[in-house]
Amino acid sequence: MAAVAAKPHVLVAFALLLLAVGCQARSFWPLEIGYYHDKCPQAEAVVKGVMEKAISQNPGNGAAMIRMLFHDCFVEGCDASVLLDPTPFSPTPEKLSPPNDPTLRGFELIDAIKDALEAACPGVVSCADIVAFAARDASCILSRGKVNFQMPSGRRDGTFSNASEPLKFLAPPPTSNLSDLVASFVIKGLNTEDLVVLSGAHTIGRSHCSSFVSDRLNTPSDINGGLAAFLRGQCPADATPGGNDPTVMQDVVTPNKLDRQYYKNVLSHTVLFTSDAALMTSVETARMVVENAKIPGWWEDRFEKAMVKMAGIEVKTGHQGQIRKNCRAINHY
């Protein structure tokens, strides 16, 4: 049988389809371990060096980096949009949103890391990767090496930041119940175990009294009586954000160590937040709390995996976004 020649318009359509498929294939580059091996071999060592010094001066700097990764990744993906300062064209970025302002810290530390990297490898390492590396290193240092993992990289920096976005995705406050918490994680591709495991970061850092006074101290709750009495001595009953709002350690047992003590605190009702206590309100999550509290190394292994998973939320790669020269401002070419 003689071959049938394809009509020109069919060939054109087929070519366009192939081009479209090819473009789609190239629109996403997966993150890689050792992404900067050739581009900036010292990148991760530079970040770790700055983090070691910062945490030796104040362990709270490590807690701030872990929290910053969460607040960045849950809004617009892990793209450093939380770092952008207000400008006349964008007067209300994420960092001015109530979930971030005034409690999110560590912006100056990111600046210091970026300055060191720009001196070593100008225009190469993204601010988004800096946040991810810093959170990884903070986890390792504060756990005395028990949480030790490789962080894939290759993220690029976003160019959009608006204060309305954190209200959508960081909206479940410390007063949230379990179903609200799970829903906020599921929408970002994380699951119930990720929620329980990442909540373990509450074993370090400090909290403002306004985050728990109204629902844990001023109204009946399951909080341990001794802890409640201590907290009432530290916190005014009318603590409000931006007002008279002192801070207290989240974990009074091992306040500067990233460990499984948090889960022991959950079991003994010595946690600050309703959202912490909520982990005991379902059979599934209560079982996870017990496992993390009782089995050495169990939580650390899962925390490593959950951190990598969270740090991969909606990342920008390839030709998406940009590599900012200054983490506080987008590049204008």
Side-chain angles (χ1 to χ4, degrees), residues 88-104:
F89 301 102
S90 179
T92 54
E94 289 172 33
K95 63 168 51 172
L96 298 185
S97 187
N100 295 326
D101 186 27
T103 61
L104 194 64

Side-chain angles (χ1 to χ4, degrees), residues 21 159 169 248 254 299 312 317 321:
V21 170
T159 57
F169 300 108
V248 296
T254 56
W299 171 73
T317 59

Side-chain angles (χ1 to χ4, degrees), residues 45-286:
V46 169
V47 178
K48 187 173 183 180
V50 177
M51 288 303 302
E52 286 175 335
K53 181 178 179 180
I55 291 173
S56 70
Q57 295 171 342
N58 178 4
N61 286 324
M65 291 299 98
I66 295 172
R67 184 168 183 245
M68 184 173 284
L69 180 66
F70 168 64
H71 281 237
D72 183 37
C73 292
F74 266 60
V75 182
E76 294 295 318
C78 307
D79 68 347
S81 53
V82 74
L83 304 179
L84 290 171
D85 279 347
T87 69
F89 301 102
S90 179
T92 54
E94 289 172 33
K95 63 168 51 172
L96 298 185
S97 187
N100 295 326
D101 186 27
T103 61
L104 194 64
R105 301 186 304 107
F107 299 106
E108 293 79 10
L109 181 50
I110 295 294
D111 292 340
I113 297 172
K114 181 63 170 174
D115 288 346
L117 286 169
E118 285 298 299
C121 312
V124 174
V125 183
S126 70
C127 300
D129 277 341
I130 290 173
V131 173
F133 288 148
R136 184 269 311 273
D137 293 337
S139 301
C140 183
I141 296 164
L142 290 172
S143 69
R144 317 299 196 262
K146 290 186 176 180
V147 174
N148 190 1
F149 60 98
Q150 293 184 301
M151 177 62 80
S153 51
R155 299 165 192 80
R156 289 173 65 87
D157 300 323
T159 57
F160 173 80
S161 183
N162 190 280
S164 65
E165 297 302 300
L167 295 172
K168 299 176 187 175
F169 300 108
L170 296 174
T175 56
S176 297
N177 60 35
L178 184 60
S179 60
D180 289 342
L181 293 167
V182 170
S184 71
F185 271 59
V186 168
I187 199 171
K188 291 299 176 181
L190 303 178
N191 58 33
T192 301
E193 183 177 41
D194 297 322
L195 164 65
V196 175
V197 167
L198 291 170
S199 294
H202 286 176
T203 191
I204 52 170
R206 304 181 69 88
S207 169
H208 283 267
C209 293
S210 60
S211 296
F212 59 84
V213 162
S214 62
D215 62 314
R216 297 286 278 168
L217 300 182
N218 294 350
T219 57
S221 73
D222 70 346
I223 194 168
N224 174 275
L227 178 61
F230 169 77
L231 292 172
R232 288 190 180 100
Q234 303 293 312
C235 297
D238 61 349
T240 53
N244 185 12
D245 194 13
T247 62
V248 296
M249 289 291 187
Q250 296 199 81
D251 172 8
V252 297
V253 182
T254 56
N256 295 323
K257 187 177 180 183
L258 187 73
D259 57 16
R260 59 194 170 102
Q261 181 63 44
Y262 167 80
Y263 300 97
K264 299 177 183 180
N265 295 346
V266 173
L267 293 173
S268 63
H269 304 285
T270 53
V271 284
L272 297 183
F273 307 137
T274 294
S275 57
D276 294 327
L279 299 184
M280 296 302 293
T281 61
S282 86
V283 173
E284 179 189 18
T285 55

